[in-house]
Amino acid sequence: MVVRDALPDEMDAAGALRVAAYQADRLLDANPSYAGALRALGTDGAGEVLVAVDGDRLLGTVMLETWHAGSEVAKRPDEAEIRGLAVAPEARGRGVGTALVRAVVERAALRGVRALLLSSQPAMAGAQRIYLAEGFTRRPELDWAPVPNLRLLGFGRDL
């Protein structure tokens, strides 16, 4: 398995993988309209999309989004967000999620990011285990609700 920048012709497949992974875990049930935004992450050039691949097979994806005026949880120029961590259901249990998180942390550090932040649904227990194992801590002050009945949990790691 290799983690690298997504190629331009892989962006649609990365978006489709994200949506499929979220649907498999019923993570879009509370906010079905988020599927469009999830599919489009990074296609506007606003973030760096990484993919985990095994040969020509896409296993997972994650995006590093540096602070900008519309950031969801990053509030300062030295903060960035992890967005859209997703592993294909058939690739889970192989360390794909951990490899993607490590790669995005390394990328953020190279970009001079001082704090890497993210939001996670309470049901994302597997992802949260990875984040905690990789040095992230719960940051309740970052909790927020994008829609009624969906509270997102904040996590962060200082770099």
Side-chain angles (χ1 to χ4, degrees):
M1 173 182 53
V2 174
V3 176
R4 59 168 171 73
D5 289 312
L7 302 173
D9 65 348
E10 293 173 321
M11 294 299 285
D12 287 342
L17 183 148
R18 263 187 235 109
V19 171
Y22 275 56
Q23 286 174 331
D25 292 334
R26 303 188 58 115
L27 298 171
L28 294 174
D29 289 1
N31 186 11
S33 66
Y34 184 59
L38 191 61
R39 183 180 303 279
L41 281 178
T43 59
D44 62 358
E48 297 178 55
V49 177
L50 303 177
V51 292
V53 296
D54 185 2
D56 61 354
R57 193 165 147 237
L58 187 62
L59 305 176
T61 184
V62 69
M63 187 175 91
L64 174 65
E65 185 175 73
T66 54
W67 174 85
H68 56 86
S71 293
E72 291 180 345
V73 291
K75 302 300 179 206
R76 302 185 324 248
D78 63 347
E79 295 179 337
E81 300 176 25
I82 292 178
R83 303 278 313 272
L85 174 65
V87 176
E90 67 276 7
R92 293 180 183 169
R94 297 178 45 191
V96 176
T98 298
L100 286 164
V101 169
R102 287 179 179 167
V104 81
V105 167
E106 182 178 309
R107 179 71 57 97
L110 289 171
R111 301 286 179 264
V113 172
R114 303 291 295 218
L116 191 54
L117 310 171
L118 64 99
S119 297
S120 178
Q121 290 186 33
M124 296 174 163
Q128 291 169 25
R129 279 192 296 277
I130 293 169
Y131 298 137
L132 293 171
E134 294 303 316
F136 287 80
T137 58
R138 261 292 276 129
R139 296 201 181 166
E141 71 277 11
L142 298 177
D143 292 1
W144 65 292
V147 295
N149 301 316
L150 178 58
R151 186 112 183 114
L152 299 179
L153 307 176
F155 290 81
R157 176 178 165 178
D158 293 332
L159 304 180

